[in-house]
């Protein structure tokens, strides 16, 4: 692939920053547009960082004027399901209005190719397993609905304005840069793998395993071991899919709107994740049982056959231990927590 100039909107966040690193590694020029509300400036080393908000026409103009881009990747969004139920206005404002403003600014600047971060939350209640792209989309929370709405806008932009886009519907993004350069830094952290590994870190630092701060939400559910099943996909594999989608758009192979699931196709329960973390860390990680978290679907596993067939996507991380291993290595390289500090829980 020849070197291209790529605008990465929301590039300072977890998946966005891994994407920037991958684009730089492939020799592309990267400009990050991010308001740093949830991202980190130090995660985009080597990129040009333009600080701005997608809801500001002035900020967008300032970024697009005087620069030319071959393609945009759009990661900027609020992305906590629970928070979206409590603050729908903020979610629609950032995720929907912000995306509309971005699309208009891009159209004005004649940047007509976009890779969009979408989600399995656009499907809603699972009716068929595994979930394919043909699964009905009836999202059940404001986060899922906000992403679904943007997909509809992208379809119409493709049909009417020739604005081509690829929507990538992630399942559970997990893991860190295999070379240990970047990690997952959410605040608050609500995701399972980082929370389990934080607990391991606490015990490794001399904390009492019995004083665990880890909660397991739901243990008597209608799943094989009673806990929720998810499809954990390594963040680097997600980035590879973005590159493939970008190549397709740049080559003009995809001229309209396309959507692909990005999942491993393999389900892993919460208990299996904890077991994997025990194996990888060699630490006796304990947990407390807690009621099922509101809005948590029992089972979310995607079929990525289309991404494999059409994009030629070949995920490298096929086992949960490998995914956890990259997260653990990165976490160990960070400052160790105090033994008394239990991991926090939000949502
Ligand atoms: N989970 C848990 N304890 C935690 C955090 C998460 O038991 O402290 C469970 C959660 O209920 C879900 C699974 O782990 O079944 C994955 O949650 P996560 O927040 O990582 O991703 P989600 O699938 O909600 O996007």
């Amino acid at each position: 692939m020849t070197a291209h100039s790529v605008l990465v909107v929301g590039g300072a966040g977890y998946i966005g920053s891994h994407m920037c690193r991958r684009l730089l590694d492939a020799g592309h020029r990267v400009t990050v547009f991010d308001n740093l509300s949830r991202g980190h400036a130090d995660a985009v080393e080597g990129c040009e960082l333009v600080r701005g908000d997608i809801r500001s026409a002035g900020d967008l103009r300032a970024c697009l004027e005087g620069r030319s881009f071959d393609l945009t990747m759009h990661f900027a969004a609020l992305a906590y399901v629970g928070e979206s139920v409590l603050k729908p206005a903020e979610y629609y404002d950032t995720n929907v209005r912000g995306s509309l403003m971005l699309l208009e600014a891009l159209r004005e600047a004649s940047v007509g190719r976009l890779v969009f971060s979408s989600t399995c939350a656009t499907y809603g209640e699972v009716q068929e397993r595994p979930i394919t792209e043909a699964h009905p989309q009836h999202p059940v929370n404001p986060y899922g609905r906000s992403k679904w709405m943007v997909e509809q806008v992208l379809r119409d932009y493709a049909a009417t304005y020739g604005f081509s886009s690829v929507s990538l519907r992630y399942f559970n993004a997990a893991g860190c840069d295999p070379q240990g350069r970047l990690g997952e830094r959410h605040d608050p952290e609500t995701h399972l793998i980082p929370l389990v590994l934080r607990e391991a870190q606490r015990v490794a630092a001399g904390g009492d395993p019995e004083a665990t701060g880890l909660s397991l939400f739901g243990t008597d559910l209608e799943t094989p071991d009673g806990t929720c099943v998810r499809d954990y996909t390594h963040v680097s594999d997600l980035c590879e899919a973005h590159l493939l989608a970008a190549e397709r758009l740049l080559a003009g192979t995809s001229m309209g709107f396309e959507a692909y699931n990005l999942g491993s196709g393999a389900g892993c329960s919460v208990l299996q994740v904890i077991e994997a973390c025990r194996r990888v860390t060699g630490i006796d990680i304990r947990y407390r049982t807690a009621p099922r978290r509101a809005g948590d679907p029992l089972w979310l596993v995607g079929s990525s056959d289309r991404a494999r067939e059409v994009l030629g996507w070949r995920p490298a991380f096929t086992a949960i231990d490998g995914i956890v291993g990259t997260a653990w290595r990165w976490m160990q390289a960070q400052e160790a927590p105090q033994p008394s500090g239990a991991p926090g829980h939000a949502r």
Side-chain angles (χ1 to χ4, degrees):
M1 193 166 165
T2 43
H4 290 286
S5 181
V6 184
L7 173 63
V8 183
V9 179
Y14 167 49
I15 304 173
S17 61
H18 282 79
M19 189 70 237
C20 290
R21 177 60 42 202
R22 184 67 186 87
L23 286 165
L24 291 175
D25 288 347
H28 300 295
R29 292 178 299 281
V30 182
T31 297
V32 171
F33 182 80
D34 200 302
N35 66 3
L36 299 180
S37 64
R38 303 212 168 173
H40 308 272
D42 62 4
V44 294
E45 225 175 275
C47 306
E48 181 192 19
L49 173 62
V50 178
R51 200 170 168 167
D53 196 299
I54 49 173
R55 294 162 300 175
S56 159
D59 287 358
L60 287 165
R61 210 173 298 120
C63 176
L64 289 163
E65 267 173 18
R67 294 181 180 84
S68 78
F69 299 106
D70 300 307
L71 176 114
T72 306
M73 293 188 179
H74 176 24
F75 296 90
L78 299 176
Y80 292 109
V81 169
E83 187 183 58
S84 78
V85 176
L86 299 172
K87 301 175 178 173
E90 288 182 26
Y91 272 67
Y92 289 119
D93 190 46
T94 298
N95 297 4
V96 180
R97 186 169 74 88
S99 295
L100 285 175
M101 297 205 47
L102 171 66
L103 290 178
E104 272 312 276
L106 292 175
R107 206 159 69 85
E108 218 171 275
S110 304
V111 184
R113 303 180 192 99
L114 182 114
V115 183
F116 178 60
S117 289
S118 190
T119 166
C120 60
T122 58
Y123 292 115
E125 290 302 332
V126 180
Q127 295 169 21
E128 295 147 22
R129 303 177 183 187
I131 300 169
T132 67
E133 292 82 356
H135 189 286
Q137 285 183 293
H138 300 299
V140 292
N141 52 59
Y143 169 62
R145 273 191 282 275
S146 69
K147 291 285 182 174
W148 176 84
M149 286 175 188
V150 177
E151 285 198 355
Q152 307 318 304
V153 173
L154 290 175
R155 264 181 226 285
D156 290 336
Y157 266 55
T160 305
Y161 303 131
F163 187 107
S164 49
S165 58
V166 174
S167 181
L168 298 176
R169 297 177 186 153
Y170 312 152
F171 283 70
N172 283 55
C176 301
D177 173 41
Q179 295 181 45
R181 298 168 294 182
L182 291 166
E184 188 168 4
R185 281 190 277 165
H186 295 115
D187 186 19
E189 186 53 80
T190 63
H191 295 102
L192 181 64
I193 293 175
L195 288 176
V196 179
L197 293 179
R198 264 190 212 177
E199 175 57 22
Q201 229 179 5
R202 189 188 65 82
V203 174
D208 177 7
E210 292 292 338
T212 179
L214 179 67
S215 298
L216 200 167
F217 301 136
T219 50
D220 56 356
L221 312 174
E222 286 166 19
T223 57
D225 67 13
T227 66
C228 288
V229 176
R230 295 286 182 275
D231 185 341
Y232 295 91
T233 314
H234 196 275
V235 64
S236 301
D237 285 328
L238 294 182
C239 293
E240 292 306 316
H242 284 71
L243 275 188
L244 293 166
E247 279 173 27
R248 204 169 149 77
L249 287 166
L250 288 162
T253 317
S254 167
M255 302 291 282
F257 169 84
E258 294 181 349
Y260 299 92
N261 283 345
L262 299 182
S264 66
C268 191
S269 74
V270 177
L271 278 175
Q272 285 172 325
V273 169
I274 296 174
E275 276 307 323
C277 292
R278 284 181 179 145
R279 279 194 300 273
V280 168
T281 63
I283 289 164
D284 177 20
I285 304 165
R286 312 273 177 92
Y287 56 84
R288 294 177 207 285
T289 55
R292 183 175 169 187
R293 195 166 59 180
D296 264 352
L298 291 184
W299 194 93
L300 277 177
V301 179
S303 158
S304 300
D305 289 353
R306 182 186 282 177
R308 288 167 187 274
E309 282 159 25
V310 183
L311 298 179
W313 188 48
R314 299 283 176 271
F317 288 84
T318 49
I320 188 70
D321 287 41
I323 294 175
V324 167
T326 61
W328 180 235
R329 271 196 297 285
W330 183 78
M331 230 182 210
Q332 278 183 303
Q334 311 306 304
E335 209 180 316
Q338 297 305 306
S340 57
H345 291 263
R347 183 153 111 180

